Amino acid sequence: MEMRRSCVAVFASFPALALAAGDGDFWARTADPGAAEFERAMEAGRALLEEASVGASPTTALALLEAEEAFRRAISASPKRHEGWLHLGATLADLPGREVEAVDALRRGRALGGDDVDTRGEAALPLGVLLSKLGRFEESLEEYERVLRARIDDQARSVALANSAEALMALGRLSEAIERYRRAADIAPPAAPDHDARRGAWWGLAVALDRDEQIAKAEEAARQGLQLDPQIAYLGHPDVFFVPPGDIHYYYALGHQAAGQTAQAALRWKQFLAELPDSPWAYRAKQRLAELAPVALPKAKAKPGGKR
Protein backbone atom coordinates (compact mmCIF):
# COMPACT_ATOMS: atom_id res chain seq x y z
CA MET A 1 0.00 0.00 0.00
CA GLU A 2 1.35 3.37 -1.05
CA MET A 3 1.99 5.66 1.90
CA ARG A 4 0.23 8.58 0.27
CA ARG A 5 -2.86 6.57 -0.33
CA SER A 6 -5.69 8.03 1.69
CA CYS A 7 -9.42 7.77 1.57
CA VAL A 8 -11.48 7.79 -1.53
CA ALA A 9 -15.14 7.77 -0.78
CA VAL A 10 -17.04 7.58 -4.00
CA PHE A 11 -20.23 6.17 -5.34
CA ALA A 12 -19.76 2.57 -6.45
CA SER A 13 -22.99 2.48 -8.45
CA PHE A 14 -22.72 3.11 -12.16
CA PRO A 15 -24.96 5.05 -14.53
CA ALA A 16 -26.87 3.05 -17.09
CA LEU A 17 -24.95 3.11 -20.32
CA ALA A 18 -26.95 5.15 -22.80
CA LEU A 19 -26.79 2.63 -25.62
CA ALA A 20 -30.00 1.53 -27.29
CA ALA A 21 -30.39 -1.75 -29.12
CA GLY A 22 -30.33 0.06 -32.44
CA ASP A 23 -27.03 1.89 -31.86
CA GLY A 24 -24.34 1.52 -34.47
CA ASP A 25 -24.27 1.53 -38.22
CA PHE A 26 -27.16 -0.37 -39.85
CA TRP A 27 -25.18 -1.64 -42.83
CA ALA A 28 -22.28 -2.72 -40.65
CA ARG A 29 -24.72 -4.79 -38.58
CA THR A 30 -26.23 -6.26 -41.73
CA ALA A 31 -22.80 -7.37 -42.96
CA ASP A 32 -22.03 -8.91 -39.57
CA PRO A 33 -23.06 -12.58 -39.53
CA GLY A 34 -23.29 -12.47 -35.74
CA ALA A 35 -25.52 -9.41 -35.64
CA ALA A 36 -28.76 -11.23 -34.85
CA GLU A 37 -27.24 -13.23 -31.98
CA PHE A 38 -25.54 -10.06 -30.73
CA GLU A 39 -28.85 -8.19 -30.52
CA ARG A 40 -30.60 -11.11 -28.79
CA ALA A 41 -27.83 -11.45 -26.21
CA MET A 42 -27.67 -7.71 -25.60
CA GLU A 43 -31.44 -7.52 -25.08
CA ALA A 44 -31.26 -10.39 -22.58
CA GLY A 45 -28.35 -8.79 -20.76
CA ARG A 46 -30.07 -5.42 -20.50
CA ALA A 47 -33.19 -7.07 -19.07
CA LEU A 48 -31.07 -8.81 -16.45
CA LEU A 49 -29.35 -5.54 -15.53
CA GLU A 50 -32.76 -3.96 -15.07
CA GLU A 51 -33.71 -6.87 -12.80
CA ALA A 52 -30.50 -6.44 -10.83
CA SER A 53 -31.16 -2.74 -10.33
CA VAL A 54 -34.43 -3.38 -8.49
CA GLY A 55 -33.68 -6.71 -6.85
CA ALA A 56 -32.03 -7.60 -3.58
CA SER A 57 -29.16 -9.91 -2.78
CA PRO A 58 -28.82 -12.76 -3.62
CA THR A 59 -31.23 -12.03 -6.49
CA THR A 60 -29.05 -9.12 -7.60
CA ALA A 61 -25.86 -11.18 -7.66
CA LEU A 62 -27.51 -13.94 -9.67
CA ALA A 63 -28.93 -11.46 -12.18
CA LEU A 64 -25.51 -9.84 -12.58
CA LEU A 65 -23.83 -13.19 -13.20
CA GLU A 66 -26.45 -14.07 -15.79
CA ALA A 67 -26.03 -10.63 -17.38
CA GLU A 68 -22.28 -11.22 -17.58
CA GLU A 69 -22.94 -14.48 -19.43
CA ALA A 70 -25.33 -12.73 -21.84
CA PHE A 71 -22.89 -9.95 -22.66
CA ARG A 72 -20.09 -12.46 -23.19
CA ARG A 73 -22.33 -14.22 -25.71
CA ALA A 74 -22.87 -10.87 -27.42
CA ILE A 75 -19.13 -10.25 -27.57
CA SER A 76 -18.52 -13.73 -28.92
CA ALA A 77 -21.04 -13.05 -31.69
CA SER A 78 -19.66 -9.59 -32.58
CA PRO A 79 -16.33 -8.96 -30.79
CA LYS A 80 -15.75 -5.60 -32.48
CA ARG A 81 -19.02 -4.04 -31.30
CA HIS A 82 -18.17 -1.68 -28.46
CA GLU A 83 -21.60 -1.88 -26.77
CA GLY A 84 -21.01 -5.45 -25.62
CA TRP A 85 -17.71 -4.60 -23.98
CA LEU A 86 -19.08 -1.51 -22.23
CA HIS A 87 -22.05 -3.39 -20.84
CA LEU A 88 -19.81 -6.25 -19.74
CA GLY A 89 -17.54 -3.77 -17.95
CA ALA A 90 -20.46 -2.10 -16.17
CA THR A 91 -21.74 -5.51 -15.07
CA LEU A 92 -18.36 -6.71 -13.77
CA ALA A 93 -17.95 -3.43 -11.89
CA ASP A 94 -20.82 -4.39 -9.60
CA LEU A 95 -19.43 -7.88 -8.90
CA PRO A 96 -17.03 -8.06 -5.92
CA GLY A 97 -13.42 -8.75 -6.83
CA ARG A 98 -13.91 -8.23 -10.58
CA GLU A 99 -12.54 -4.68 -10.74
CA VAL A 100 -9.50 -5.42 -12.92
CA GLU A 101 -11.63 -7.31 -15.46
CA ALA A 102 -14.14 -4.46 -15.47
CA VAL A 103 -11.42 -1.88 -16.18
CA ASP A 104 -10.11 -3.95 -19.09
CA ALA A 105 -13.59 -4.42 -20.59
CA LEU A 106 -14.53 -0.74 -20.31
CA ARG A 107 -11.27 0.40 -21.84
CA ARG A 108 -11.62 -2.06 -24.68
CA GLY A 109 -15.16 -0.87 -25.35
CA ARG A 110 -14.05 2.74 -25.39
CA ALA A 111 -11.21 1.94 -27.78
CA LEU A 112 -13.59 0.16 -30.15
CA GLY A 113 -16.24 2.88 -29.94
CA GLY A 114 -13.96 5.77 -30.79
CA ASP A 115 -14.95 9.40 -30.30
CA ASP A 116 -18.66 8.64 -29.98
CA VAL A 117 -18.12 6.81 -26.68
CA ASP A 118 -17.86 8.72 -23.41
CA THR A 119 -19.69 11.84 -24.56
CA ARG A 120 -21.58 11.62 -21.23
CA GLY A 121 -18.89 9.84 -19.21
CA GLU A 122 -20.44 6.42 -19.86
CA ALA A 123 -17.07 4.68 -19.50
CA ALA A 124 -15.02 7.29 -17.68
CA LEU A 125 -17.17 7.53 -14.54
CA PRO A 126 -17.14 3.81 -13.73
CA LEU A 127 -13.46 3.66 -14.67
CA GLY A 128 -12.69 6.47 -12.24
CA VAL A 129 -14.48 4.62 -9.44
CA LEU A 130 -12.87 1.27 -10.25
CA LEU A 131 -9.35 2.66 -10.49
CA SER A 132 -9.81 4.43 -7.17
CA LYS A 133 -10.92 1.19 -5.55
CA LEU A 134 -7.76 -0.41 -6.93
CA GLY A 135 -5.62 2.40 -5.49
CA ARG A 136 -4.59 3.62 -8.95
CA PHE A 137 -5.33 7.25 -8.16
CA GLU A 138 -3.39 8.93 -10.97
CA GLU A 139 -5.31 6.90 -13.54
CA SER A 140 -8.54 7.50 -11.66
CA LEU A 141 -7.98 11.25 -11.77
CA GLU A 142 -7.47 11.10 -15.55
CA GLU A 143 -10.85 9.40 -15.93
CA TYR A 144 -12.62 11.98 -13.75
CA GLU A 145 -11.10 14.71 -15.93
CA ARG A 146 -12.76 13.02 -18.90
CA VAL A 147 -16.08 13.06 -17.06
CA LEU A 148 -15.75 16.76 -16.26
CA ARG A 149 -15.18 17.51 -19.95
CA ALA A 150 -18.28 15.53 -20.93
CA ARG A 151 -21.84 16.75 -21.42
CA ILE A 152 -23.28 16.05 -17.96
CA ASP A 153 -25.73 17.77 -15.63
CA ASP A 154 -24.86 19.53 -12.37
CA GLN A 155 -25.67 16.50 -10.23
CA ALA A 156 -23.24 14.28 -12.16
CA ARG A 157 -20.66 17.09 -12.30
CA SER A 158 -20.86 17.52 -8.53
CA VAL A 159 -20.25 13.81 -7.98
CA ALA A 160 -17.33 13.81 -10.43
CA LEU A 161 -15.80 16.85 -8.74
CA ALA A 162 -16.07 15.26 -5.30
CA ASN A 163 -14.73 11.95 -6.60
CA SER A 164 -11.75 13.64 -8.24
CA ALA A 165 -11.16 15.58 -5.02
CA GLU A 166 -10.93 12.26 -3.17
CA ALA A 167 -8.30 11.05 -5.64
CA LEU A 168 -6.37 14.31 -5.26
CA MET A 169 -6.46 13.98 -1.47
CA ALA A 170 -5.22 10.40 -1.77
CA LEU A 171 -2.28 11.77 -3.76
CA GLY A 172 -1.57 14.39 -1.07
CA ARG A 173 -2.68 17.31 -3.25
CA LEU A 174 -4.79 18.90 -0.55
CA SER A 175 -5.12 22.43 -1.95
CA GLU A 176 -6.53 21.11 -5.22
CA ALA A 177 -8.80 18.69 -3.36
CA ILE A 178 -10.20 21.49 -1.18
CA GLU A 179 -10.98 23.65 -4.22
CA ARG A 180 -12.84 20.80 -5.94
CA TYR A 181 -14.83 19.86 -2.85
CA ARG A 182 -16.01 23.47 -2.59
CA ARG A 183 -17.07 23.50 -6.24
CA ALA A 184 -18.88 20.19 -5.77
CA ALA A 185 -20.82 21.55 -2.79
CA ASP A 186 -21.63 24.77 -4.64
CA ILE A 187 -23.13 23.24 -7.78
CA ALA A 188 -24.90 20.18 -6.33
CA PRO A 189 -28.64 20.62 -6.90
CA PRO A 190 -30.49 21.13 -3.59
CA ALA A 191 -33.22 18.77 -4.78
CA ALA A 192 -30.83 15.86 -5.35
CA PRO A 193 -32.07 12.59 -3.81
CA ASP A 194 -31.12 12.60 -0.12
CA HIS A 195 -28.68 15.43 -0.90
CA ASP A 196 -26.04 12.76 -1.45
CA ALA A 197 -23.77 14.89 -3.62
CA ARG A 198 -23.74 17.75 -1.15
CA ARG A 199 -23.30 15.55 1.89
CA GLY A 200 -20.32 13.80 0.33
CA ALA A 201 -18.74 17.08 -0.68
CA TRP A 202 -19.04 18.64 2.79
CA TRP A 203 -17.69 15.58 4.62
CA GLY A 204 -14.80 15.30 2.18
CA LEU A 205 -14.07 19.02 2.48
CA ALA A 206 -14.00 18.77 6.29
CA VAL A 207 -11.42 15.98 6.12
CA ALA A 208 -9.25 17.71 3.51
CA LEU A 209 -9.24 20.97 5.49
CA ASP A 210 -8.42 19.16 8.72
CA ARG A 211 -5.53 17.33 7.09
CA ASP A 212 -4.32 20.66 5.74
CA GLU A 213 -4.47 21.94 9.35
CA GLN A 214 -7.09 24.57 8.58
CA ILE A 215 -8.87 23.70 11.80
CA ALA A 216 -11.53 26.39 12.02
CA LYS A 217 -12.54 25.91 8.38
CA ALA A 218 -12.60 22.12 8.83
CA GLU A 219 -14.94 22.45 11.82
CA GLU A 220 -17.22 24.78 9.87
CA ALA A 221 -17.34 22.31 6.95
CA ALA A 222 -18.19 19.50 9.37
CA ARG A 223 -21.02 21.60 10.82
CA GLN A 224 -22.34 22.11 7.29
CA GLY A 225 -22.17 18.35 6.82
CA LEU A 226 -24.14 17.83 10.02
CA GLN A 227 -26.87 20.21 8.86
CA LEU A 228 -27.46 18.00 5.81
CA ASP A 229 -26.63 14.71 7.50
CA PRO A 230 -27.25 14.98 11.27
CA GLN A 231 -26.95 11.21 11.81
CA ILE A 232 -23.74 11.01 9.73
CA ALA A 233 -25.56 8.34 7.72
CA TYR A 234 -23.91 9.16 4.40
CA LEU A 235 -20.62 7.54 5.41
CA GLY A 236 -22.34 4.18 5.84
CA HIS A 237 -24.22 4.32 2.52
CA PRO A 238 -23.69 1.06 0.57
CA ASP A 239 -22.46 3.01 -2.46
CA VAL A 240 -19.68 4.70 -0.49
CA PHE A 241 -16.31 3.01 0.07
CA PHE A 242 -12.97 3.98 1.55
CA VAL A 243 -9.43 3.18 0.47
CA PRO A 244 -7.99 2.03 2.80
CA PRO A 245 -11.18 0.91 4.58
CA GLY A 246 -10.02 2.10 8.00
CA ASP A 247 -9.99 5.70 6.82
CA ILE A 248 -13.74 5.82 7.43
CA HIS A 249 -12.98 6.37 11.13
CA TYR A 250 -11.34 9.73 10.35
CA TYR A 251 -14.57 10.96 8.77
CA TYR A 252 -16.75 9.68 11.58
CA ALA A 253 -14.41 11.17 14.19
CA LEU A 254 -14.64 14.65 12.67
CA GLY A 255 -18.42 14.37 12.43
CA HIS A 256 -18.81 13.27 16.05
CA GLN A 257 -16.38 15.92 17.23
CA ALA A 258 -18.31 18.64 15.40
CA ALA A 259 -21.52 17.32 16.98
CA GLY A 260 -19.99 17.53 20.45
CA GLN A 261 -20.06 13.74 20.83
CA THR A 262 -16.62 13.53 22.39
CA ALA A 263 -16.70 9.92 23.53
CA GLN A 264 -17.72 8.69 20.07
CA ALA A 265 -15.10 10.93 18.45
CA ALA A 266 -12.34 9.62 20.73
CA LEU A 267 -13.32 6.04 19.96
CA ARG A 268 -13.17 6.69 16.20
CA TRP A 269 -9.77 8.40 16.44
CA LYS A 270 -8.46 5.37 18.34
CA GLN A 271 -9.91 3.01 15.76
CA PHE A 272 -8.28 4.99 12.97
CA LEU A 273 -4.88 4.82 14.70
CA ALA A 274 -5.28 1.13 15.48
CA GLU A 275 -6.13 0.21 11.89
CA LEU A 276 -3.86 2.69 10.11
CA PRO A 277 -0.88 3.40 12.40
CA ASP A 278 1.33 4.22 9.41
CA SER A 279 -1.14 6.55 7.71
CA PRO A 280 0.32 9.91 6.67
CA TRP A 281 -2.56 11.42 8.63
CA ALA A 282 -1.88 9.52 11.86
CA TYR A 283 -0.22 12.57 13.40
CA ARG A 284 -3.40 14.60 12.90
CA ALA A 285 -5.50 11.88 14.49
CA LYS A 286 -3.16 11.88 17.51
CA GLN A 287 -3.44 15.65 17.79
CA ARG A 288 -7.23 15.50 17.58
CA LEU A 289 -7.40 12.72 20.14
CA ALA A 290 -5.19 14.70 22.51
CA GLU A 291 -7.60 17.63 22.26
CA LEU A 292 -10.41 15.35 23.44
CA ALA A 293 -8.53 13.51 26.17
CA PRO A 294 -9.55 15.69 29.14
CA VAL A 295 -13.26 15.37 28.39
CA ALA A 296 -13.54 12.11 26.49
CA LEU A 297 -11.70 9.81 28.87
CA PRO A 298 -13.29 8.77 32.16
CA LYS A 299 -11.70 10.16 35.30
CA ALA A 300 -10.21 7.82 37.86
CA LYS A 301 -12.36 7.37 40.93
CA ALA A 302 -10.99 8.68 44.21
CA LYS A 303 -9.93 6.06 46.72
CA PRO A 304 -11.11 6.10 50.35
CA GLY A 305 -9.24 8.68 52.35
CA GLY A 306 -9.06 11.17 49.50
CA LYS A 307 -6.07 9.52 47.76
CA ARG A 308 -6.08 8.48 44.11
Side-chain angles (χ1 to χ4, degrees):
M1 181 178 295
E2 185 176 337
M3 279 293 294
R4 295 178 69 144
R5 181 180 304 175
S6 180
C7 166
V8 60
V10 291
F11 287 93
S13 60
F14 301 97
L17 298 177
L19 299 169
D23 283 351
D25 182 79
F26 170 79
W27 295 110
R29 294 201 309 275
T30 302
D32 181 359
E37 173 57 24
F38 176 86
E39 298 294 355
R40 283 193 296 268
M42 289 295 293
E43 183 177 358
R46 290 190 193 95
L48 287 161
L49 284 187
E50 180 65 23
E51 179 182 334
S53 69
V54 298
S57 184
T59 304
T60 297
L62 179 60
L64 287 171
L65 290 171
E66 292 178 349
E68 176 193 356
E69 183 180 345
F71 293 133
R72 289 194 185 280
R73 290 201 309 271
I75 291 169
S76 179
S78 295
K80 293 185 179 181
R81 295 280 297 276
H82 69 277
E83 303 100 311
W85 289 102
L86 290 178
H87 279 75
L88 175 63
T91 303
L92 293 171
D94 276 342
L95 289 169
R98 310 291 295 277
E99 291 87 359
V100 173
E101 295 174 78
V103 168
D104 291 344
L106 287 165
R107 283 182 164 169
R108 186 159 185 177
R110 184 163 64 190
L112 288 170
D115 293 339
D116 290 338
V117 177
D118 244 6
T119 57
R120 294 176 296 276
E122 293 92 336
L125 184 56
L127 278 168
V129 173
L130 289 162
L131 291 163
S132 289
K133 292 182 74 172
L134 293 169
R136 293 156 60 176
F137 296 113
E138 291 281 6
E139 295 175 75
S140 173
L141 189 57
E142 291 176 5
E143 295 299 338
Y144 288 130
E145 294 298 333
R146 281 179 177 263
V147 177
L148 292 170
R149 292 193 297 269
R151 299 193 299 270
I152 53 178
D153 61 22
D154 284 346
Q155 171 72 1
R157 189 168 300 279
S158 176
V159 171
L161 282 167
N163 287 2
S164 64
E166 294 286 354
L168 286 164
M169 183 161 61
L171 293 167
R173 295 160 61 177
L174 292 177
S175 296
E176 295 169 84
I178 288 167
E179 188 270 337
R180 290 208 176 187
Y181 281 128
R182 290 197 185 281
R183 287 171 57 195
D186 286 344
I187 70 170
D194 296 325
H195 301 292
D196 277 347
R198 292 198 295 165
R199 290 191 296 172
W202 281 113
W203 288 129
L205 178 60
V207 170
L209 287 165
D210 186 80
R211 289 173 172 177
D212 200 41
E213 301 190 44
Q214 299 186 47
I215 310 305
K217 292 181 179 179
E219 292 173 348
E220 174 58 28
R223 286 192 290 271
Q224 291 288 338
L226 284 171
Q227 286 186 10
L228 294 170
D229 186 21
Q231 302 302 317
I232 320 179
Y234 173 83
L235 303 181
H237 193 285
D239 286 341
V240 174
F241 65 91
F242 295 80
V243 178
D247 214 32
I248 190 174
H249 301 303
Y250 201 112
Y251 286 68
Y252 271 120
L254 279 182
H256 287 308
Q257 198 158 345
Q261 300 165 342
T262 53
Q264 294 97 316
L267 177 62
R268 289 291 187 170
W269 289 125
K270 290 177 181 179
Q271 288 176 304
F272 175 83
L273 290 167
E275 294 185 27
L276 301 173
D278 297 324
S279 167
W281 315 115
Y283 80 98
R284 285 294 299 135
K286 291 176 182 177
Q287 290 172 345
R288 283 296 205 173
L289 182 59
E291 295 170 7
L292 294 173
V295 291
L297 301 180
K299 296 181 180 179
K301 293 182 179 180
K303 293 181 179 179
K307 295 182 180 180
R308 292 183 179 271

